Amino acid sequence: MTIPQHTSGIRRKKLSEQAAFWLFRLMSIAVVGVLFWILGFIIVKGIGVISWEFLTGMPRDGMTAGGILPAIVGTLCLTLGSIVIAFPLGILSGIYISEYTRDNWLVKLIRIMTNNLSGVPSIVFGLFGMALFVNTLGFGDSIIAGSFTLALLVLPIVIRTTEEALRRIDNSYRLGSLALGATKLQTIRRVLLPMAMPNIITGLILSVGRVSGETAPILFTAVAYFLPKLPSSIFDQVMALPYHLYVIATSGTDLEATRPMAYGTALVLIAIVLVINLAANGLRCYFNKKVKMN
């Protein structure tokens, strides 16, 4: 019995579709597998070092003993400081581009420049931060200089995320709010921002993931090689986990003695990023529920 030609074509399409789906599944499994392999490797190598003394103590004996408390505090200060600076500026810039400008050549140029900035190597931001914040403005190597430099690094991400989140909202919400007598500012503040906030939080998560692991920008603006004390102001120099990890893994006084501490430091850094991301995800879920209730 001869199979109709159209039936044979349908079967070939289904087989091709199934093959493509299985290829995508295998690629996804491979990516997730590599991720879990890396995490498992770091956990196995670093979990033996984690202790209360390691998390709360000061480094000593040329960083071959003691803890990493100054590096943890310095990382948290730089990460939170950069987010506090970049998030409001990025949201306001995204609101301006999306709601207050027309789609002309100037706006397109701003978008292109913003996208280009997000692709600039981080060391360039470090050199710029050193020239502007450390030398010109006189902040010196400090938390405030490092925070501003990291804020510039992630500002394009926040701007683009905010703009795209606002543009995805149907224009009928804007027209309905304005028809009820609300001003443009009230419409943005009470209608658009609450609806866009879950997607804007995505920009926050991406920003936290980037700034917490950067070494080059803070190398020129904030961190110290060895500083066994906690900062007392935003104008103090600090230690930071990414740079501390680099130091004890590559240029410490005793690399064999500090190797387990390097794995422990990497594990702590991953845990801090995970906790901050989980907090941001919780905030996003809160805004999601709030939008659905309204």
Side-chain angles (χ1 to χ4, degrees), residues 106-120 125 156 160:
L106 180 60
V107 174
K108 291 179 181 178
L109 179 63
I110 293 173
R111 289 199 189 102
I112 292 173
M113 296 305 295
T114 303
N115 292 332
N116 288 338
L117 274 177
S118 63
V120 172
F125 284 96
R160 294 295 293 152

Side-chain angles (χ1 to χ4, degrees), residues 166-246:
L166 291 171
R167 287 185 177 275
R168 290 178 59 183
I169 299 174
D170 194 272
N171 202 43
S172 60
Y173 291 99
R174 297 176 176 83
L175 298 177
S177 177
L178 295 173
L180 291 173
T183 64
K184 193 174 185 66
L185 182 60
Q186 289 173 329
T187 300
I188 294 171
R189 182 177 150 202
R190 297 175 180 253
V191 179
L192 301 183
L193 271 182
M195 295 181 67
M197 192 55 69
N199 292 323
I200 294 175
I201 298 297
T202 303
L204 173 63
I205 296 172
L206 295 172
S207 302
V208 168
R210 185 168 187 188
V211 300
S212 57
E214 285 290 348
T215 304
I218 59 177
L219 175 64
F220 299 106
T221 58
V223 295
Y225 182 89
F226 179 67
L227 191 66
K229 66 176 183 177
L230 299 180
S232 58
S233 75
I234 60 174
F235 296 100
D236 285 347
Q237 201 174 13
V238 291
M239 295 180 69
L241 288 173
Y243 183 60
H244 182 66
L245 175 60
Y246 169 77

Side-chain angles (χ1 to χ4, degrees), residues 37-242:
W37 181 79
I38 294 173
L39 290 176
F41 177 80
I42 294 176
I43 290 172
V44 170
K45 292 287 188 178
I47 194 66
V49 183
I50 304 300
S51 65
W52 183 250
E53 180 186 0
F54 182 72
L55 296 176
T56 60
M58 299 290 176
R60 62 178 187 273
D61 298 337
M63 294 183 288
T64 59
I68 57 171
L69 180 61
I72 294 175
V73 173
T75 300
L76 291 175
C77 289
L78 290 170
T79 301
L80 296 178
S82 63
I83 295 303
V84 167
I85 296 168
F87 209 54
L89 288 176
I91 291 177
L92 291 175
S93 300
I95 290 173
Y96 175 76
I97 295 173
S98 175
E99 303 298 323
Y100 285 97
T101 60
R102 296 179 180 178
D103 197 10
N104 52 26
W105 66 270
L106 180 60
V107 174
K108 291 179 181 178
L109 179 63
I110 293 173
R111 289 199 189 102
I112 292 173
M113 296 305 295
T114 303
N115 292 332
N116 288 338
L117 274 177
S118 63
V120 172
S122 58
I123 193 169
V124 176
F125 284 96
L127 292 171
F128 176 78
M130 180 181 67
L132 178 61
F133 303 118
V134 176
N135 297 330
T136 303
L137 297 181
F139 291 156
D141 290 338
S142 60
I143 295 174
I144 187 67
S147 297
F148 270 109
T149 304
L150 291 174
L152 291 178
L153 181 68
V154 297
L155 193 58
I157 299 176
V158 182
I159 293 174
R160 294 295 293 152
T161 306
T162 303
E163 183 189 356
E164 292 300 325
L166 291 171
R167 287 185 177 275
R168 290 178 59 183
I169 299 174
D170 194 272
N171 202 43
S172 60
Y173 291 99
R174 297 176 176 83
L175 298 177
S177 177
L178 295 173
L180 291 173
T183 64
K184 193 174 185 66
L185 182 60
Q186 289 173 329
T187 300
I188 294 171
R189 182 177 150 202
R190 297 175 180 253
V191 179
L192 301 183
L193 271 182
M195 295 181 67
M197 192 55 69
N199 292 323
I200 294 175
I201 298 297
T202 303
L204 173 63
I205 296 172
L206 295 172
S207 302
V208 168
R210 185 168 187 188
V211 300
S212 57
E214 285 290 348
T215 304
I218 59 177
L219 175 64
F220 299 106
T221 58
V223 295
Y225 182 89
F226 179 67
L227 191 66
K229 66 176 183 177
L230 299 180
S232 58
S233 75
I234 60 174
F235 296 100
D236 285 347
Q237 201 174 13
V238 291
M239 295 180 69
L241 288 173

